[in-house]
Amino acid sequence: MQGEFGFPTRFYGERGFKITSPFGPRPDPFNPGKTDFHTGIDYGGRPQGTLVQTTVGGTVFAAKMYGGWGNLVGITDSRGYNHLFAHLQAISVRPGQTVARGDAVGTLGSTGQATGPHLHYQINRPGAGVSGNGYFGDPDRYYFEEEVEEVERAIVLGSDADYCNAAPLRDRLNCPVFFRSALVQLAKVSTIYICGGPIESVREAAPNAKLINLSGSNRFETAAKISSHLASI
Ligand SMILES: [Zn+2]
C-alpha cells in the first residue's frame, strides 16, 4: 500500500468520489446520541445515477436487494474475500458473472438504509457472504492481489475462527491475512506466520519461505502462542 489512503479510496478518488464516512466508530445516523461501528467506507460527492465501478476483479455472488444494504452487489476476489457495493440505485451485473477491475456494477443510489446517495464499500472475510459483521477491517488496509505479490510477510489462518486471534499480529506486522483457499498466492512471500491449521500445506505452497508456526491444537492454544510471540517481537 502506498500513500495516505489505500487502494479503494485512491480508486474512487480518481473517479471524483470522496469519503463521506470513514471505517470505524461513528455517531449512529439513525439513533441520535448512540455510537455505531461503521463496517465499511462510504463514498459520495457524485450525483445519484453515477456509474459505480468495481475496485476488484472476481465473480459476482450477490446482485439483489438485501434489506438495509438496499441494492447490493457482492464480488468474490481471487483471495476468497467478498467485496460489497451497497445502496445502489440500479444493478448491472448478474450472479455468476466474471468482472474485471473498473467494470460497472451499477449506479450510485440511496436504496436501503441510507440518508442520501452514496456507495457503502465493505470487504468481508471468506465465508462471511453479505453479513454486516463479517467485515475484514478497514477496506483501505486490504491487500489486493497485485499488492500481495510485493509483500514480504503474511499470516495464514486455519479457519475464520482464528481471525480475531490473529488481528493484533496483523496490525503489528501490517501484512495480509490469508485463508487456506488462497495459499497459491504465497509463493513469493519470505516469512509466513501460521496462526491455525497444519504447516505442511503452507510449506508446499511456499517451499522457500521462513515459516513461524503459531498454530496450537485448538484456537485457544493458538491465541496463547500468538500473544507470546507478540510479546517477544
Ligand atoms: Zn456505510
Side-chain angles (χ1 to χ4, degrees), residues 17-208:
F17 291 87
K18 53 179 195 276
I19 294 179
T20 53
S21 181
F23 173 86
R26 64 172 181 182
D28 186 340
F30 295 96
N31 293 294
K34 294 250 167 80
T35 302
D36 165 35
F37 192 90
H38 192 218
T39 54
I41 300 176
D42 289 347
Y43 296 104
R46 300 294 323 266
Q48 171 131 326
T50 301
L51 279 186
V52 170
Q53 293 163 281
T54 172
T55 50
V56 74
T59 306
V60 177
F61 74 95
K64 65 171 191 177
M65 174 72 86
Y66 275 95
W69 288 130
N71 283 322
L72 178 80
V73 168
I75 295 172
T76 306
D77 72 13
S78 63
R79 295 180 57 206
Y81 285 84
N82 300 313
H83 299 248
L84 306 181
F85 305 84
H87 309 306
L88 300 172
Q89 179 186 51
I91 290 173
S92 55
V93 290
R94 285 167 286 101
Q97 190 178 332
T98 301
V99 292
R101 172 175 287 165
D103 284 354
V105 296
T107 53
L108 192 71
S110 56
T111 55
Q113 211 173 28
T115 51
H118 74 279
L119 168 68
H120 172 91
Y121 176 61
Q122 173 168 335
I123 302 174
N124 273 1
R125 308 195 291 266
V130 303
S131 155
N133 294 326
Y135 60 92
F136 146 79
D138 185 345
D140 267 343
R141 297 193 60 189
Y142 182 70
Y143 283 84
F144 288 78
E145 185 177 346
E146 64 283 2
E147 294 174 314
V148 164
E149 285 169 11
E150 293 163 16
V151 302
E152 291 181 359
R153 296 184 291 201
I155 291 171
V156 170
L157 304 182
S159 72
D160 195 57
D162 301 312
Y163 191 82
C164 292
N165 286 337
L169 185 63
R170 174 199 69 183
D171 291 345
R172 177 81 70 89
L173 302 173
N174 192 20
C175 72
V177 174
F178 283 82
F179 288 79
R180 298 266 162 177
S181 57
L183 291 185
V184 62
Q185 293 180 13
L186 291 168
K188 291 190 214 149
V189 177
S190 47
T191 305
I192 299 172
Y193 297 79
I194 304 169
C195 298
I199 192 170
E200 292 76 14
S201 48
V202 179
R203 185 173 283 134
E204 233 168 75
N208 301 317

